Amino acid sequence: MNDTTTHGAPTRHVFEYALLRVVPRIERGEQINAGVLLYCRARSFVAARTHLDEARLRALDPDADVAGVRAALRAVEGVCAGGDAAGQAATDDAGRRFRWLIAPRSTVVQSSPVHTGLTVDPAAEVERLVGLLVR
């Protein structure tokens, strides 16, 4: 695939992303950002990058199941990565895995509404967003 325009500038692709949020006590509605889930259709790219700030989580809920939250975040990363780590979603395309992961749920790990942007490099973009919105 040619990723440059006729003027030699890199082609920017539309991407969608959602924040992964940890809501330790659903009834209180408090949350912390713990990752970014990014999908770029033009590149058939989907990825999740996570970072759990345990101190912030414990500030919201001293009894939070940190190991369980970490396992849930790793599972999201696994579904994005595909292969054996994706379980039943392994045969799904990147878009279908992204849509499944952003579906509303009432669990401790939830996704935000979806936002969009333009990028030349989806892999670099997910890293940039984690640094900006999570760390």
Side-chain angles (χ1 to χ4, degrees), residues 89 95 127:
E127 298 298 338

Side-chain angles (χ1 to χ4, degrees), residues 1 4 7 14-15 23 41 43 52 58 80 83 91 105 107 113 133:
M1 164 163 64
T4 59
H7 302 291
V14 173
F15 70 91
V23 186
R41 181 177 175 206
R43 292 284 190 90
L52 181 61
R58 291 213 184 274
C80 287
T91 59
R105 355 182 113 69
T107 63
L133 301 172

Side-chain angles (χ1 to χ4, degrees), residues 7-115:
H7 302 291
T11 300
R12 297 187 318 160
H13 301 286
V14 173
F15 70 91
E16 300 172 69
Y17 76 95
L19 292 168
L20 294 172
R21 297 175 171 164
V22 177
V23 186
R25 295 179 58 194
I26 302 296
E27 69 278 9
R28 290 185 59 145
E30 298 168 328
Q31 59 194 5
I32 62 169
N33 293 342
V36 173
L37 178 61
L38 186 139
Y39 169 59
C40 179
R41 181 177 175 206
R43 292 284 190 90
S44 296
F45 177 90
V46 65
R49 296 294 181 270
T50 64
H51 171 79
L52 181 61
D53 185 331
E54 189 175 322
R56 291 182 69 204
L57 177 57
R58 291 213 184 274
L60 294 180
D61 182 1
D63 299 322
D65 178 6
V66 175
V69 170
R70 286 191 191 283
L73 292 170
R74 277 192 309 272
V76 171
E77 290 177 332
V79 168
C80 287
D84 292 341
Q88 290 181 321
T91 59
D92 291 340
D93 65 39
R96 188 173 173 115
R97 284 182 279 149
F98 178 77
R99 299 283 174 241
W100 181 76
L101 289 167
I102 63 166
R105 355 182 113 69
S106 50
T107 63
V108 173
V109 175
Q110 302 177 7
S111 68
S112 73
V114 174
H115 307 281

